[in-house]
Amino acid sequence: MSEEKKAIHKTYHDQYYGFPIHDDNELFCRLILEINQAGLSWETILKKEAGFRKAYSNFNIKKVAAYTEEDRERLMADPGIIRNRLKINAAIENAKTILQLQKEYGSFEKWLEFHHPKTIEEWVKLFKKTFRFTGGEIVNEFLMSTGYLPGAHTANCSVYKKVQQAKPMWMVKK
């Protein structure tokens, strides 16, 4: 692996992967990035993250939920993101869904906490029922990367203790 590739992965691994996210827009960001990673490498997504942020109004849920057909076409023409109509439509529809969850539960994070803990199979079923373009791998990575499921780091990983100090939901027993 080249030094550039190592650097890209190291920042994500050491500072983001497995750490809880308490901001709904950032949770939405992670969900959209995971959806867009389907069929591609995570490195591709990390390299395009800034492009995604710019294209999707910095993952502002309200703004993305209000996107029009014109916005869909703008996104399809944007080389800074993954130009896949199904993934673009999923981002917009999932933003609308999250707005509903916020009305019902107070936040996307509270919706996730309300359903915690679940097995991966239960989470996948719930996500498939609730969101678009959310298969098993997407759901697993989203939940692991945001601290709802264990496994982002092993106990002998240098970041493991920092993740534990952040009190991810997988450590919380109900």
Side-chain angles (χ1 to χ4, degrees):
M1 186 182 287
S2 73
E3 289 305 311
E4 179 195 2
K5 285 182 182 184
K6 283 181 188 173
I8 289 169
H9 287 279
K10 182 171 177 40
T11 299
Y12 178 72
H13 172 272
D14 292 358
Q15 298 174 21
Y16 300 99
Y17 192 53
F19 288 89
I21 297 174
H22 301 294
D23 178 274
D24 276 8
N25 292 326
E26 287 301 311
L27 281 167
F28 174 60
C29 167
R30 189 68 57 85
L31 180 62
I32 298 314
L33 294 179
E34 291 293 351
I35 287 170
N36 276 277
Q37 189 270 325
L40 303 168
S41 72
W42 187 241
E43 181 183 335
T44 298
I45 301 305
L46 291 175
K47 284 181 175 178
K48 289 184 174 274
E49 183 180 356
F52 275 103
R53 284 190 181 281
K54 185 176 180 212
Y56 283 99
S57 306
N58 202 32
F59 296 103
N60 180 298
I61 297 164
K62 287 180 183 165
K63 287 182 181 178
V64 175
Y67 278 5
T68 63
E69 192 55 41
E70 192 176 286
D71 289 301
R72 290 175 205 265
E73 293 310 314
R74 172 184 58 80
L75 292 167
M76 282 298 294
D78 189 335
I81 66 167
I82 306 303
R83 294 177 286 184
N84 176 306
R85 193 168 298 279
L86 291 174
K87 293 176 181 183
I88 290 168
N89 289 339
I92 297 166
E93 294 307 312
N94 289 342
K96 292 175 185 177
T97 297
I98 290 171
L99 286 180
Q100 281 305 119
L101 296 176
Q102 287 174 329
K103 282 181 187 169
E104 291 175 47
Y105 292 87
S107 71
F108 183 24
E109 180 184 26
K110 286 182 180 159
W111 178 81
L112 289 163
E113 288 173 0
F114 176 82
H115 290 288
H116 175 79
K118 288 190 176 308
T119 64
I120 184 58
E121 294 79 14
E122 292 168 327
W123 278 116
V124 169
K125 190 174 178 181
L126 176 65
F127 268 70
K128 282 185 172 189
K129 186 178 90 176
T130 309
F131 298 107
R132 290 200 180 170
F133 213 103
T134 50
E137 189 63 26
I138 291 166
V139 173
N140 185 56
E141 277 301 321
F142 170 73
L143 293 169
M144 204 169 18
S145 76
T146 57
Y148 287 89
L149 289 176
H153 303 274
T154 59
N156 62 355
C157 175
S158 62
V159 179
Y160 187 75
K161 284 200 183 338
K162 284 200 295 193
V163 169
Q164 283 186 308
Q165 289 168 352
K167 296 182 176 48
M169 286 299 291
W170 63 264
M171 290 180 65
V172 176
K173 303 294 180 219
K174 281 189 175 178

